[in-house]
């Protein structure tokens, strides 16, 4: 299934090469746009199955699935459907109207949560979401991401949480380089 996901990332052009500025402000010669990939229902279903499978392999037990807005929400939704677990959405900032909440969905003290993200670079945004959940009394049992850019997120996240990337950027580059060399033969 992992090879199928890597193929989909290329087929859906969810990895682009050129000059890009990332959320962190860093410049990069490639951009991973998982939002483009997750608009494909087959890709979204595959991601949810892979995340569920990885969690089961490690024997992780969780009560709910959470994702920070925006890119992780479809992934968290698909995983919630795949696992039949309730969904939690973590907003970037508190609503300035209505209930003023930063979390959509019910978080109770002691809830074990599998937190998901689309792409990690330094891990900052998903770690902020974990902190918000923990302030509500939840326990984040693991953080699962579709692609780890391998720019420090793993090290930061692994200090406190189980880190489950489905694909690393090294694996994407290996696939690209393999395809390039086969074309050149």
């Amino acid at each position: 299934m992992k090879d199928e996901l890597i193929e989909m990332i290329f087929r859906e052009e969810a990895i682009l090469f050129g000059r890009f500025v990332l959320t962190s402000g860093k410049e990069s010669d490639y951009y991973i746009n998982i939002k483009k990939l997750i608009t494909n229902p087959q890709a979204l279903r595959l991601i949810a199955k892979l995340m569920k499978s990885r969690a089961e392999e490690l024997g992780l037990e969780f009560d709910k699935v959470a994702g920070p807005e925006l890119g992780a929400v479809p992934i968290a939704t698909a995983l919630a459907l795949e696992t039949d677990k309730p969904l939690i959405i973590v907003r970037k900032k508190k609503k300035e109207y209505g209930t003023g909440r930063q979390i959509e969905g019910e978080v109770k003290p002691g809830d074990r949560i599998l937190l998901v993200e689309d792409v990690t670079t330094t891990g900052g945004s998903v770690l902020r979401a974990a902190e918000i959940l923990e302030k509500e009394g939840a326990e984040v049992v693991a953080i699962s991401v579709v692609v780890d850019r391998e720019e420090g997120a793993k090290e930061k996240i692994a200090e406190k949480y189980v880190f489950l990337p489905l694909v690393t950027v090294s694996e994407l580059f290996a696939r690209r380089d393999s395809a390039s060399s086969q074309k050149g033969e």
Side-chain angles (χ1 to χ4, degrees):
M1 282 196 298
K2 182 177 184 170
D3 290 339
E4 188 180 345
L5 177 60
I6 291 171
E7 289 303 317
M8 277 188 173
I9 288 170
F10 283 93
R11 192 170 55 247
E12 296 291 326
E13 297 177 351
I15 184 167
L16 303 170
F17 299 93
R19 297 295 311 151
F20 303 94
V21 177
L22 306 177
T23 306
S24 64
K26 293 171 66 172
E27 286 193 17
S28 177
D29 56 359
Y30 67 96
Y31 180 68
I32 298 170
N33 185 1
I34 295 301
K35 289 168 193 71
K36 184 168 187 198
L37 181 68
I38 60 177
T39 58
N40 174 325
Q42 288 79 27
L44 199 51
R45 193 173 298 114
L46 178 62
I47 288 166
K49 286 181 187 309
L50 279 166
M51 285 184 168
K52 178 183 178 188
S53 174
R54 288 290 311 277
E56 287 173 346
E57 284 169 19
L58 293 175
L60 293 174
E61 293 186 18
F62 56 98
D63 307 306
K64 297 178 180 176
V65 175
E69 68 170 334
L70 175 77
V73 172
I75 298 164
T77 302
L79 185 56
L81 290 167
E82 182 71 25
T83 60
D84 201 30
K85 306 276 186 186
L87 172 68
I88 307 290
I89 299 169
V90 183
R91 294 176 178 276
K92 289 181 179 141
K93 56 185 180 185
K94 288 184 178 187
K95 287 183 359 179
E96 295 179 13
Y97 54 91
T99 60
R101 292 185 45 86
Q102 192 163 3
I103 295 174
E104 296 300 332
E106 189 175 3
V107 178
K108 295 179 194 156
D111 279 347
R112 297 167 302 174
I113 295 180
L114 177 58
L115 180 57
V116 304
E117 181 64 292
D118 56 354
V119 179
T120 51
T121 302
T122 63
S125 60
V126 76
L127 286 169
R128 279 189 296 280
E131 188 179 296
I132 291 163
L133 291 164
E134 288 173 339
K135 282 182 182 170
E136 296 288 320
E139 173 196 351
V140 175
V141 297
I143 294 176
S144 183
V145 302
V146 180
V147 178
D148 177 25
R149 289 180 56 99
E150 298 176 292
E151 294 183 33
K154 177 183 178 181
E155 294 74 15
K156 263 183 152 170
I157 292 168
E159 287 175 11
K160 192 170 178 185
Y161 306 103
V162 173
F163 183 56
L164 305 172
L166 298 182
V167 177
T168 63
V169 81
S170 298
E171 291 169 317
L172 293 176
F173 283 176
R175 158 53 180 75
R176 178 196 65 176
D177 296 345
S178 165
S180 296
S181 67
Q182 288 175 1
K183 286 181 184 175
E185 291 176 359

